[in-house]
């Protein structure tokens, strides 16, 4: 094995040992959007939440990714989903 490959293998082995010991080189924190938090709070999939909100799944995805913002009525429903998810769950069950 040439020297470069040996160094690579040693670095890889060291990296695996560090991961197993819980010593990650970096930690990534993912911020979820208010829309995602509301949807998860209501415990609905994107398609079910889209049906409940009266929009397409693509619209829900755009909101969750921060590409677009919900309109006034949708924002109100999202706030209800955050504060009173049981109400939206009840509505979803009646669909």
């Amino acid at each position: 094995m040439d020297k470069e490959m040996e160094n690579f293998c040693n670095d890889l082995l060291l990296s695996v040992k560090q991961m197993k010991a819980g010593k990650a080189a970096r930690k990534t924190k993912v911020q979820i959007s208010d829309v995602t938090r509301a949807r998860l709070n209501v415990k609905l999939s994107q398609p079910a939440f889209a049906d409940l909100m009266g929009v397409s799944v693509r619209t829900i995805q755009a909101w969750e990714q921060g590409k677009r913002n919900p309109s006034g009525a949708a924002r109100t429903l999202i706030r209800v989903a955050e504060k009173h998810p049981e109400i939206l769950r009840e509505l979803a069950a009646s669909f």
Side-chain angles (χ1 to χ4, degrees):
M1 184 171 0
D2 69 350
K3 189 69 174 165
E4 189 174 326
M5 182 56 92
E6 187 177 332
N7 286 340
F8 173 76
C9 289
N10 289 336
D11 287 345
L12 185 58
L13 184 60
L14 177 62
S15 178
V16 169
K17 287 179 182 177
Q18 289 172 339
M19 284 189 294
K20 284 185 175 183
K23 298 178 182 176
R26 65 176 170 217
K27 292 183 183 180
T28 303
K29 288 192 177 190
V30 177
Q31 292 280 24
I32 63 170
S33 70
D34 293 341
V35 177
T36 305
R37 189 175 9 271
R39 180 178 61 79
L40 294 175
N41 206 17
V42 180
K43 298 180 181 165
L44 292 176
S45 65
Q46 285 181 338
F49 196 63
D51 282 345
L52 182 65
M53 299 292 288
V55 297
S56 71
V57 175
R58 304 272 274 169
T59 298
I60 295 293
Q61 291 168 344
W63 290 349
E64 289 187 357
Q65 294 169 6
K67 293 178 181 177
R68 293 181 53 204
N69 292 317
S71 66
R75 268 196 313 267
T76 300
L77 271 176
I78 290 165
R79 275 188 262 142
V80 171
E82 288 176 326
K83 295 184 187 287
H84 303 285
E86 68 282 355
I87 293 172
L88 264 71
R89 270 190 234 114
E90 187 178 314
L91 283 173
S94 67
F95 269 69

